[in-house]
Amino acid sequence: MSSRINIARPQQPSFNTDPHGLSNSRSSTGYRAANPDDPVEKLKAYSQLVEDNIEIYSQPLKPHLPAIGRFLIVVTFLEDALRIVTQWGDQIWYLQHAVILKRYTEFAIAGLLSVVIIQGFGYGLIFDLNFFLRNLSVIGGLFMVFSDSMVSRKSPFAGLPTISETDRKK
């Protein structure tokens, strides 16, 4: 009958860790004791408290997080469409002055190209085939825009005349 588990009574240890009584009376876990006045320790304790509270109070929302995420994505696109409709004049002005004039095309392409490459490394998907092929198509589009901007330049050398196929006399 003594082998039955009694929940109300604390279990006695079955072995003595120091049978001769020669060890230090303070318990040793292998870590030194933390100073409670240390600001880093206070911050760790506070962040642990906040994390525990977030974990407790967010439990009812966890089953609904995918639906909430999809809803927020749809709302983002709807807000974007509404903003385009309500700010049509600003959109037209931006397109006419910044995009159509093709100012700083090389710098914009270099910036976008660096973002595409950094995303691959940042997300750790550089060796994922689908991600790589999508980025390859984006990079191809950027190179097409870059080649268009190089062809449409007026003159690579300021003040020097150039001869093109249309300027030749036959």
Side-chain angles (χ1 to χ4, degrees), residues 101-114:
L101 292 180
K102 297 180 182 179
R103 291 185 182 173
Y104 310 111
T105 308
E106 291 83 11
F107 297 117
I109 292 170
L112 290 172
L113 186 64
S114 64

Side-chain angles (χ1 to χ4, degrees), residues 46-122:
Y46 181 72
S47 67
Q48 184 66 35
L49 177 70
V50 169
E51 190 174 317
D52 290 342
N53 285 332
I54 288 173
E55 183 71 27
I56 290 168
Y57 294 117
S58 68
Q59 285 296 326
L61 287 177
K62 283 193 177 178
H64 306 290
L65 284 179
I68 292 171
R70 287 190 295 267
F71 171 75
L72 290 176
I73 289 173
V74 169
V75 168
T76 301
F77 283 108
L78 291 176
E79 184 271 334
D80 221 15
L82 181 66
R83 185 174 44 83
I84 287 173
V85 170
T86 58
Q87 297 176 350
W88 185 253
D90 295 336
Q91 298 287 329
I92 295 297
W93 181 88
Y94 175 74
L95 287 173
Q96 287 175 346
H97 289 86
V99 177
I100 296 176
L101 292 180
K102 297 180 182 179
R103 291 185 182 173
Y104 310 111
T105 308
E106 291 83 11
F107 297 117
I109 292 170
L112 290 172
L113 186 64
S114 64
V115 165
V116 168
I117 292 171
I118 290 171
Q119 276 181 345
F121 288 108

Side-chain angles (χ1 to χ4, degrees), residues 18 21-28:
D18 187 22
L22 299 174
S23 69
N24 191 352
S25 62
R26 292 170 33 194
S27 65
S28 173

